């Protein structure tokens, strides 16, 4: 028998500002690779959508020191302890975070993500990963226009960086992103990353690759008889939450 690919809708509510979003999405993609290697005759063909979430509404588009912000929020000693723990988690996935970078509102990055979803949905995950790595690894604020322009042109969303800047000056996708923030609130999402599989199985946080593989196995069993098609039904949590950041 030939290969039978099964589609799976995976919605990821997230914010570029969240380090666990980088880890969680990375773990999910590795889990999908592992699952498909274990099931070559019936691999999952994921339809991943990145949906907006506003982790820190108080931030503006003006960049500020990430280290100073965390010291003010948690106190210097606890902020340093949290940074040490995050470096260890990042290192386990091959990342070296930049603790001295800048932070800002992620709204412009969220608009670019929404634009990608609307016009080039197959490119959205790659765009999102570049945005995450620019912020967490390179230390660049998510409102940095040159970086947003470079990423957009790199993925063929616009022909030139000038076109990207003109788009950023407008309000295209602004309303859709703000509706996304409200939708996340109505769903009761208080921490990210938040994953919804097939419209009805939910999980939160950076659970770990093995945990994601187990979740994919369980969902595949439950959906096997009905076929792997997205469902509009309400979500039902099927796994314990992993590490996440709450608003």
């Amino acid at each position: 028998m030939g290969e039978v690919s099964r589609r799976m809708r995976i919605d990821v509510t997230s914010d570029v500002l969240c380090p666990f979003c980088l880890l969680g999405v990375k773990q999910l993609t590795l889990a999908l690779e592992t699952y498909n290697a274990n099931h070559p005759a019936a691999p999952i063909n994921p339809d991943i959508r990145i949906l907006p979430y506003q982790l820190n509404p108080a931030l503006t588009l003006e960049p500020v020191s990430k280290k100073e912000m965390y010291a003010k929020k948690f106190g210097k000693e606890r902020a340093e302890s949290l940074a040490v723990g995050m470096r260890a988690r990042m290192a386990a996935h091959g990342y070296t975070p930049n603790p001295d970078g800048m932070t800002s509102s992620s709204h412009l990055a969220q608009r670019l993500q929404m634009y990608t979803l609307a016009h080039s949905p197959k490119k959205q995950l790659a765009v999102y990963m570049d945005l995450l790595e620019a912020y967490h690894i390179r230390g660049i604020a998510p409102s940095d226009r040159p970086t947003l322009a470079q990423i957009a042109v790199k993925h063929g969303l616009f022909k030139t960086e000038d076109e990207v800047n003109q788009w950023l000056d407008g309000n295209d996708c602004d309303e859709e992103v703000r509706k996304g923030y409200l939708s996340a609130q109505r769903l009761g999402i208080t921490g990210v990353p938040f994953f919804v599989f097939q419209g009805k199985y939910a999980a939160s946080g950076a659970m770990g690759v093995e945990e994601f593989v187990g979740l994919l196995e369980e969902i595949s069993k439950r959906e096997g008889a009905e076929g792997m098609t997205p469902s509009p039904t309400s979500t039902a949590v099927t796994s314990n939450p992993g590490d996440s950041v709450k608003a």
Side-chain angles (χ1 to χ4, degrees):
M1 294 179 60
E3 177 183 298
V4 179
S5 178
R6 300 187 295 175
R7 297 189 65 82
M8 179 183 287
R9 166 67 64 81
I10 306 174
D11 289 340
V12 186
T13 300
S14 66
D15 190 336
V16 169
L17 298 178
C18 172
F20 292 114
C21 288
L22 173 57
L23 297 180
V25 173
K26 181 67 172 180
Q27 291 169 359
L28 173 63
T29 58
L30 291 173
L32 285 164
E33 291 177 6
T34 299
Y35 178 94
N36 288 344
N38 293 338
H39 301 276
I44 291 173
N45 181 13
D47 178 10
I48 299 175
R49 300 192 307 170
I50 307 299
L51 305 180
Y53 187 83
Q54 194 171 36
L55 194 59
N56 189 346
L59 288 172
T60 69
L61 296 178
E62 185 67 27
V64 296
S65 166
K66 189 188 303 184
K67 182 176 288 186
E68 291 179 8
M69 184 194 72
Y70 285 133
K72 184 177 180 180
K73 181 178 181 179
F74 299 111
K76 185 176 180 180
E77 185 175 338
R78 187 182 175 207
E80 291 177 351
S81 175
L82 290 171
V84 170
M86 184 53 64
R87 282 199 297 272
R89 289 185 174 93
M90 289 282 192
H93 292 78
Y95 295 121
T96 302
N98 186 333
D100 299 315
M102 305 297 285
T103 189
S104 69
S105 166
S106 62
H107 188 69
L108 291 183
Q110 301 270 17
R111 281 181 56 205
L112 184 60
Q113 290 170 206
M114 186 63 72
Y115 178 88
T116 311
L117 178 60
H119 297 278
S120 300
K122 292 184 178 180
K123 297 180 179 180
Q124 196 199 26
L125 180 59
V127 169
Y128 178 62
M129 293 303 292
D130 277 358
L131 291 169
L132 283 168
E133 292 183 14
Y135 177 61
H136 295 287
I137 310 307
R138 296 161 58 195
I140 301 172
S143 63
D144 186 77
R145 287 179 172 234
T147 301
L148 294 175
Q150 290 168 10
I151 291 173
V153 172
K154 170 187 173 183
H155 292 281
L157 303 177
F158 295 88
K159 291 183 179 179
T160 68
E161 293 182 12
D162 285 342
E163 288 183 2
V164 184
N165 284 311
Q166 290 176 14
W167 181 84
L168 290 170
D169 286 337
N171 60 6
D172 186 31
C173 294
D174 183 83
E175 182 179 358
E176 290 85 349
V177 169
R178 295 187 187 280
K179 285 181 178 179
Y181 297 155
L182 293 176
S183 178
Q185 291 178 7
R186 287 196 295 269
L187 287 172
I189 298 174
T190 59
V192 288
F194 189 84
F195 305 86
V196 177
F197 301 79
Q198 296 296 88
K200 54 186 174 182
Y201 307 103
S204 63
M207 306 186 330
V209 176
E210 291 185 4
E211 287 74 9
F212 272 116
V213 172
L215 182 57
L216 294 171
E217 294 278 5
E218 179 62 25
I219 293 172
S220 295
K221 289 178 183 178
R222 295 190 183 190
E223 296 288 291
E226 303 171 5
M228 300 282 275
T229 55
S231 168
T233 56
S234 58
T235 61
V237 176
T238 62
S239 65
N240 294 323
D243 292 318
S244 62
V245 173
K246 296 183 180 295

